[in-house]
Amino acid sequence: MKSVQIISTGLSLPSRAVTNDDLAAIEDTNDEWIVKRTGIRERRFTEGKESANSLALRAAERALKKSGIDRKKIGLVIVATLSGDYSTPSVASQLQQALGLDKDIPYFDINAACSGFPYAIETARSFLYANPERPYALVTGVEELSKLLDMTDRSTNILFGDGAGAVVIRLVEGSYASVLGAQSSLAINCMGAKSDSSYIRMDGKEVFRFAVRILPHMINTTLEKAGMTCDQIDWFVCHQANKRIIDHVVRAMKLPGEKFYCNIDRIGNTSGASIPICIAEMEEKGLLHSGEKLLLLGFGSGLTWGSCIVSYR
C-alpha cells in the first residue's frame, strides 16, 4: 500500500504575540478565565504587510529548502485555508511564481476549515499516486483568522490566531488509512455572505460535545482501517482547538498524554494551519525520528472531521 511520508517541514508565525492580558485590556475577560476554559495564553496576529499569502510563502519556502529536492520534481501544490488573501486566485496558485515552480502542475486550495490539512494530505496522496513522474507534493496550511474576528465577541476572539505550516511529502510503501467526514450545521459554526455576519460565529459548547465524540471515533476507525494499534502510533497530532478537548480524550481513551503534542497555549486555534504548525515545531525541537508514525486528527467547523496516518522520513 502507498503511504505518505513527510520529508521536510516549514513554519511561519506572525511577529505579533497577543496575550490574554492584551485582550483583557479591551474587553471583559482575564487570563485566568481564558486559560481555564481553553488552555490558551497567547496567540499570533498578523500586522503590517503580513498576510495569509506571506505566511504561506515563508513556510513553503522553508519546507522546500530543507527538503533539498529539485523543485521540478514537485508535482502538486495544495493549500488548506479558509482565510486566503483573495477568493481567487488561490493561495496555492500564487505560490507558483513566488517559489519558481513549474506552471504545468495542479495548484489549488482546500477549505475544510479545521480538518483542512488531513483533507489536503489525502488529496495529495491520490494525485501523487496517479503521477509518479513527479513524486513530491508541497502541502501547506495557512490561516489569517484575526481579520475574521469580532473583537467584541469573547466567545471567539480569545480562541483564534494566525500562522502557517508546510510539508513536502512523497509516497512510500507502508500502512495507511484515512477517515474523512462532515455533519454540516450552520447553527454551530458559520460565517460569510449568506450568514448574519462576516465574522466567525461559533457555539463553543456544541463544538466541544462534537469534538469529544468524533475524536475517539477517528482514532479507532483510522487504526482499524490501517490494521494498527495505538501502541504503533508515535505521535497523535490533533487540531489545536481547545486544550480541554485533547485532555478529555486522553483520559477517556486511557492514552499516553505524552504522545499528544500541544502548542495551543502559545499559538491558539489556527484552524487548517494548526496541524502542520505542530509538525514543523516538533521537527524543529528534534522530537521526530525516522520511521515514526503520526496520526493526524482534524475536527471542527462544519462540522467536519479528517484523519490520516503519515510517517516521518
Side-chain angles (χ1 to χ4, degrees), residues 141-160:
V142 62
E143 302 291 6
E144 189 186 7
L145 300 176
S146 60
K147 67 188 178 188
L148 304 177
L149 295 179
D150 177 355
M151 295 310 293
T152 67
D153 176 13
R154 71 172 184 173
S155 68
T156 56
N157 66 31
I158 64 171
L159 297 173
F160 296 100

Side-chain angles (χ1 to χ4, degrees), residues 9-30:
T9 73
L11 174 66
S12 179
L13 297 174
S15 55
R16 179 188 174 197
V18 178
T19 68
N20 292 343
D21 289 337
D22 292 331
L23 295 179
I26 61 173
E27 65 178 340
D28 182 19
T29 191
N30 59 70

Side-chain angles (χ1 to χ4, degrees), residues 31 78 106 128 135 148 157 177 192 195 231-232 234 254 263 265 303 305:
D31 179 70
I78 303 178
L128 290 179
L148 304 177
N157 66 31
S195 73
D231 292 340
Q232 294 173 285
D234 298 286
K254 297 181 172 57
N263 64 6
D265 59 318
L303 301 164
W305 59 89

Side-chain angles (χ1 to χ4, degrees), residues 214-233:
I214 203 65
L215 263 174
H217 166 76
M218 283 195 292
I219 292 171
N220 291 330
T221 305
T222 310
L223 291 175
E224 181 180 352
K225 288 179 67 175
M228 299 175 66
T229 66
C230 285
D231 292 340
Q232 294 173 285
I233 298 296

Side-chain angles (χ1 to χ4, degrees), residues 1 3 45 109 121 189 208 222 228 247 250 258 295-296:
M1 178 180 293
S3 181
F45 283 1
D109 294 353
I121 291 291
N189 198 318
F208 184 92
T222 310
M228 299 175 66
D247 290 345
V250 168
E258 63 273 13
L295 177 49
L296 312 184

Side-chain angles (χ1 to χ4, degrees), residues 168-223:
V168 175
I169 64 170
R170 66 180 177 183
L171 299 188
V172 295
E173 293 296 327
S175 298
Y176 181 82
S178 68
V179 174
L180 307 174
Q183 181 186 330
S184 183
S185 174
L186 293 177
I188 293 172
N189 198 318
C190 183
M191 58 167 283
K194 292 293 185 180
S195 73
D196 64 355
S197 175
S198 59
Y199 297 118
I200 296 173
R201 299 296 188 201
M202 185 173 68
D203 182 339
K205 291 182 179 179
E206 190 58 38
V207 170
F208 184 92
R209 285 191 285 266
F210 161 75
V212 299
R213 182 174 70 251
I214 203 65
L215 263 174
H217 166 76
M218 283 195 292
I219 292 171
N220 291 330
T221 305
T222 310
L223 291 175

Side-chain angles (χ1 to χ4, degrees), residues 2-78:
K2 292 296 184 181
S3 181
V4 173
Q5 182 182 68
I6 294 172
I7 66 168
S8 65
T9 73
L11 174 66
S12 179
L13 297 174
S15 55
R16 179 188 174 197
V18 178
T19 68
N20 292 343
D21 289 337
D22 292 331
L23 295 179
I26 61 173
E27 65 178 340
D28 182 19
T29 191
N30 59 70
D31 179 70
E32 181 182 7
W33 189 90
I34 297 172
V35 172
K36 181 178 179 180
R37 286 160 178 79
T38 69
I40 301 171
R41 297 185 181 277
E42 67 177 41
R43 69 289 293 148
R44 298 296 186 94
F45 283 1
T46 57
E47 63 179 356
K49 294 184 178 180
E50 292 176 328
S51 68
N53 280 15
S54 70
L55 293 174
L57 174 59
R58 191 160 54 195
E61 180 65 57
R62 289 170 177 172
L64 285 171
K65 184 176 181 179
K66 287 163 65 176
S67 74
I69 65 171
D70 182 346
R71 297 191 181 193
K72 292 186 178 297
K73 293 184 178 181
I74 296 290
L76 173 69
V77 176
I78 303 178

